[in-house]
Amino acid sequence: MKIAVIAETAAAETRVAVSPEVVKAYVKKGFGVAVAAGAGKGSFMGDDLFKEAGATIARDSATAVKDADVVLCVRRPEPAVVKALKKGAVVAGILDPYGDKKPIEALAKAGVAAFAMELMPRITRAQSMDVLSSQANLAGYKAVVDAAAQFSRAFPMMMTAAGTVPPAKVFIMGAGVAGLQAVATARRLGAVVTATDVRAAAGEQIKSLGAKFIFVEGMADAATSGGYAKELSEDDRKKQAALVAEHIKTQDIVVTTALIPGRPAPVLVTKEMVETMKPGSLIVDLAIERGGNCPLSKADAVVEHRGVTIMAPLNMAGHLAGNASQLYAKNLQNFLDLIVVDGAVKLDWDDEIVKGCGLTREGAVVHPILTS
Ligand code: NAD
C-alpha cells in the first residue's frame, strides 16, 4: 500500500499531514510513503528528515499522489493534484465540508473516498483521531500567550517595593477545547480568569481549572447530543448579551472561541461593548475563520478601536506548526489504523467514524451535510 503526503499550498498553511515519527511507523508496517518535496518546510521538518525516516521524496504533490492508495493532506488538494489521484484512493484531510461544494464534487468525480477529519464524531473511540481537538487545544494556548506578549501590563500579581502590580483580568468566551486550554494557560500565567459558555456542562470544567463561570441564570442549556452548541433563542441571546456587556467593561483581555457547527460564528462582543473596554485592553478572536465573534475583527490583522486592540489570526494552530503537524499526523495515523486492514484499505461504511467523516464514495457525494 502506498501513502502520499502533499505539500500544502494555501496561504499561511504551515502544517503538514505527516511527521518523521509517523513516517517511520508507516514504513515499519510495510507501507510505501511518498512525501512531496518541501511539504514539511513550514513545520521545520525538512525533506532529509522524511527521507531518513524511510519516505521517498516526490518532485511535487501531483507526482506524490500518482498510484497512491491513501493521500494525506491538511487542506483540500489543488485541482492539479485531484486530477492525478488514483481512482478508488482514500483522501483524508481537513476538507471544509461546509465550504464551497465544487471541490468536493471534483473529488467525487475523481472516484476517491474523501474523508473530512473535522467531522470526526465526538465518541470515545474517535478521540485519538479528533483533529478539531488536537488543533484547538494548541490554538487556545497560543491565543493567551500572544495576548500576554501584546498586552502592555503583566499577567500575575506582583508585590514590589514600588507598589503592587494587579493581576490581569482575562475573560474566555466559549469553553470548548480551545477555550478551556486558554483558561488553563491564563491561570498558569497568574491572571484572574472568568469564562462563559452556553453549554451548562462547561461550567464544571471552567471551575475545575480555577476560573469563575459566568452564566445567565435560568438560561436553557444549549448543548446538542453531539456535545456541540446550538444557536440561542432570541430571548437567551439578549440575556447573554446583557451579562457580557456588564462583565466585559472590567476585563483586560478577552479571548473568544465560540463556534456553532455549520453556522457563522455568533456575535458575542459588539462594537458598543468594545467601546466600553479600557484603553490598552485586548481581544483575541479565534472564531475568525467562521466570521468572528466580534464584528470589528479583521482576518489575520491587528485592529485598534478606541484604544482596544483586536487580534484575529487565521489558522492559529499553524502558528505552532511543529506541534500542530505532529499531533495532526498522529490523528491521521490513528484513522488509518481503523481503515487499513491486513495492509490494505478496507472501508466499513457502517462504521460510525467512516460514515461520519466520509464525504464521497464511488463517484458520489454522500455526506448528509452536502446532500440534504
Ligand atoms: P466548538 O469549537 O464547536 O465551540 C467552542 C465553544 O463555543 C463550545 O464550547 C461552544 O459551546 C461554545 N459556544 C457556542 N456558542 C456560544 C455562545 N453563543 N456563547 C458562548 N459560548 C458559545 O466546540 P469544541 O471545542 O469542539 O467542543 C465542544 C464540546 O465537545 C466540548 O464539551 C468538548 O469537551 C467536547 N469534546 C468531546 C470529545 C469526545 O468526547 N471525543 C472530543 C472533543 C471535544
Side-chain angles (χ1 to χ4, degrees):
M1 190 181 89
K2 180 181 159 187
I3 299 172
V5 180
I6 68 173
E8 300 299 320
T9 50
E13 185 49 83
T14 49
R15 296 169 292 177
V16 58
V18 81
S19 63
E21 181 203 349
V22 168
V23 167
K24 259 187 216 158
Y26 288 148
V27 171
K28 202 168 163 201
K29 285 200 164 166
F31 306 151
V33 183
V35 179
K41 199 170 162 222
S43 300
F44 298 96
M45 298 173 186
D47 292 348
D48 50 336
L49 290 180
F50 290 126
K51 221 169 158 178
E52 263 169 43
T56 56
I57 306 300
R59 195 175 60 221
D60 52 28
S61 296
T63 312
V65 305
K66 231 176 139 217
D67 305 325
D69 305 289
V70 174
V71 175
L72 304 178
C73 50
V74 179
R75 308 250 175 178
R76 292 168 169 190
E78 292 283 306
V81 177
V82 174
K83 246 190 193 162
L85 293 170
K86 180 168 99 172
K87 199 172 167 204
V90 160
V91 176
I94 302 171
L95 300 181
D96 189 17
Y98 296 107
D100 184 10
K101 281 186 185 169
K102 284 207 180 82
I104 307 288
E105 283 159 5
L107 286 167
K109 226 170 142 194
V112 301
F115 292 90
M117 297 299 290
E118 64 266 60
L119 295 180
M120 192 58 66
R122 254 73 202 272
I123 54 173
T124 308
R125 188 164 62 92
Q127 261 173 1
S128 64
M129 311 170 203
D130 187 341
V131 303
L132 289 185
S133 292
S134 72
Q135 306 300 293
N137 177 49
L138 294 170
Y141 157 80
K142 187 78 167 105
V144 173
V145 170
D146 283 1
Q150 189 80 14
F151 190 42
S152 66
R153 294 166 180 268
F155 264 42
M157 184 168 86
M158 295 180 206
M159 313 264 262
T160 80
T164 301
V165 172
K169 290 183 182 154
V170 177
F171 180 35
I172 311 293
M173 304 187 72
V177 179
L180 288 175
Q181 183 55 258
V183 169
T185 305
R187 286 279 300 143
R188 279 197 292 268
L189 288 175
V192 173
V193 184
T194 48
T196 191
D197 203 292
V198 291
R199 294 176 301 104
E204 279 313 306
Q205 293 162 333
I206 290 167
K207 286 185 219 157
S208 73
L209 291 169
K212 190 172 168 204
F213 183 38
I214 305 285
F215 192 65
V216 178
E217 280 309 319
M219 187 169 97
D221 184 0
T224 63
S225 55
Y228 289 103
K230 56 186 175 204
E231 277 177 321
L232 296 181
S233 67
E234 192 51 28
D235 190 38
D236 281 344
R237 204 191 53 71
K238 279 190 187 146
K239 282 188 202 152
Q240 187 201 34
L243 181 76
V244 169
E246 211 36 56
H247 185 62
I248 217 164
K249 289 181 196 167
T250 60
Q251 300 301 303
D252 297 306
I253 312 265
V254 178
V255 177
T256 70
T257 75
L259 291 174
I260 296 161
R263 309 280 313 142
V267 171
L268 301 183
V269 184
T270 61
K271 180 166 166 272
E272 291 71 29
M273 290 182 198
V274 174
E275 290 171 0
T276 67
M277 292 177 76
K278 289 171 285 182
S281 315
L282 220 133
I283 298 171
V284 185
D285 190 345
L286 280 189
I288 190 66
E289 301 214 15
R290 309 296 289 277
N293 292 138
C294 175
L296 297 176
S297 301
K298 280 211 169 67
D300 245 356
V302 179
V303 173
E304 206 190 299
H305 184 78
R306 299 208 190 160
V308 178
T309 303
I310 303 153
M311 298 151 73
L314 291 169
N315 186 16
M316 191 54 131
H319 289 234
L320 294 171
N323 296 128
S325 296
Q326 175 207 347
L327 298 182
Y328 181 64
K330 202 74 193 164
N331 290 144
L332 288 174
Q333 185 192 355
N334 292 327
F335 179 61
L336 292 198
D337 279 347
L338 174 79
I339 63 164
V340 176
V341 181
D342 296 331
V345 172
K346 193 159 182 262
L347 296 172
D348 172 5
W349 285 94
D350 290 327
D351 185 298
E352 198 179 348
I353 294 176
V354 173
K355 207 164 37 179
C357 301
L359 299 183
T360 64
R361 178 184 180 185
E362 289 158 21
V365 174
V366 290
H367 201 285
I369 284 177
L370 295 144
T371 54
S372 57

